[in-house]
Amino acid sequence: MAKPRTAPEEAEGPEAAFTRPWHFVMGVAGLEQLPAADRPEVAFAGRSNVGKSSLINALVRQHGLARTSNTPGRTQELNYFAAEIATVYIVDLPGYGFAQAPKEKVETWTRLVKDYLRGRRTLARVYMLIDARHGIKAVDEEIMKILDEAAVSYQIVLTKLDKVKPQAVEPLIARTVAALAMHPAAYPEVAATSSVDGRGIEELREVIVAAMRGG
Ligand code: GDP
């Protein structure tokens, strides 16, 4: 019998993922709808309007893959994306922290995301997006607490760096790193990005690939 050939995607590894076309796989409104846990996945979390869709689109070099928070229907779901020859998933978590969100909406979000974060065994890392102009807010701290308690590895990613004065960037990163000392599951380094001028995007691709490999 012929020896089974190694699939090309296995041979190339996850770093090849960022050079391939990605597509929307499914929106998950309840945990029973999750796709099979058959590959590593990384999830992106952040307050509504933090720049999450823009960052995902910049990472995969595909404008329009992740839709903005304003896209009706997708805002309360875990959105799964895969590359054409898929070895990993990117999961776009629904944005949190709407100023006027109804209480039951917030509760639904919290329950779905908490259950996902606690129970998804193939979740390699969560990227917690923080607007560089605003820093870590109480609502972000709540999510970080969930991640700490669930022992889910996460990394802070500052977004919209182009909106911050150049001389303020280093102190901002230092402040953010210092704040992480209180968070046991947080990765000790902070990524600093701008989807507008492309700063930090390539570096973030590299750490994501490492995380997908379990590094
Ligand atoms: P989401 O709600 O977190 O998915 O955020 P979006 O990606 O939809 O972005 C929210 C708003 O911030 C939009 O008006 C974007 O154009 C803007 N935005 C996103 N990323 C950046 C960035 O890196 N720099 C700047 N200046 N604006 C950004």
Side-chain angles (χ1 to χ4, degrees):
M1 208 168 74
K3 221 174 125 200
R5 279 195 310 130
T6 308
E9 67 271 29
E10 285 169 27
E12 290 171 30
E15 72 277 7
F18 286 113
T19 63
R20 292 210 168 103
W22 285 70
H23 60 275
F24 173 69
V25 178
M26 65 194 299
V28 171
L31 292 191
E32 69 288 351
Q33 299 167 2
L34 281 171
D38 60 0
R39 66 198 76 173
E41 59 196 48
V42 293
F44 290 79
R47 298 172 77 196
S48 195
N49 217 39
V50 71
K52 192 154 52 65
S53 315
S54 305
L55 185 74
I56 292 173
N57 291 338
L59 284 168
V60 301
R61 303 181 182 92
Q62 264 171 263
H63 184 71
L65 180 74
R67 311 274 177 83
T68 63
S69 309
N70 303 328
T71 311
R74 286 218 193 148
T75 58
Q76 293 304 305
E77 299 182 340
L78 313 178
N79 287 308
Y80 270 76
F81 301 100
E84 202 167 276
I85 305 172
T87 52
V88 295
Y89 283 129
I90 282 178
V91 188
D92 185 5
L93 301 180
Y96 54 83
F98 294 97
Q100 265 110 38
K103 195 162 169 266
E104 70 272 19
K105 229 178 165 182
V106 174
E107 279 169 8
T108 307
W109 185 95
T110 309
R111 199 165 43 243
L112 176 64
V113 171
K114 265 191 183 175
D115 289 349
Y116 165 77
L117 294 173
R118 288 196 183 121
R120 188 68 166 167
R121 109 190 120 71
T122 45
L123 178 58
R125 183 162 295 157
V126 174
Y127 292 91
M128 271 285 302
L129 275 46
I130 303 290
D131 190 320
R133 295 169 299 179
H134 306 142
I136 298 170
K137 297 280 185 198
V139 66
D140 301 310
E141 289 277 0
E142 283 171 34
I143 306 302
M144 290 161 72
K145 193 164 164 244
I146 294 172
L147 293 165
D148 287 325
E149 286 172 1
V152 175
S153 164
Y154 62 98
Q155 180 169 12
I156 300 293
V157 179
L158 298 171
T159 61
K160 307 191 188 182
L161 214 61
D162 58 287
K163 291 278 196 184
V164 173
K165 289 198 184 86
Q167 63 271 29
V169 169
E170 279 311 317
L172 168 69
I173 292 174
R175 264 201 318 279
T176 312
V177 168
L180 295 182
M182 321 258 290
H183 293 281
Y187 191 77
E189 283 165 31
V190 168
T193 65
S194 164
S195 303
V196 166
D197 65 20
R199 235 179 304 176
I201 301 293
E202 186 54 37
E203 291 86 344
L204 187 56
R205 283 190 198 111
E206 284 166 18
V207 294
I208 291 173
V209 165
M212 285 167 171
R213 286 195 181 126

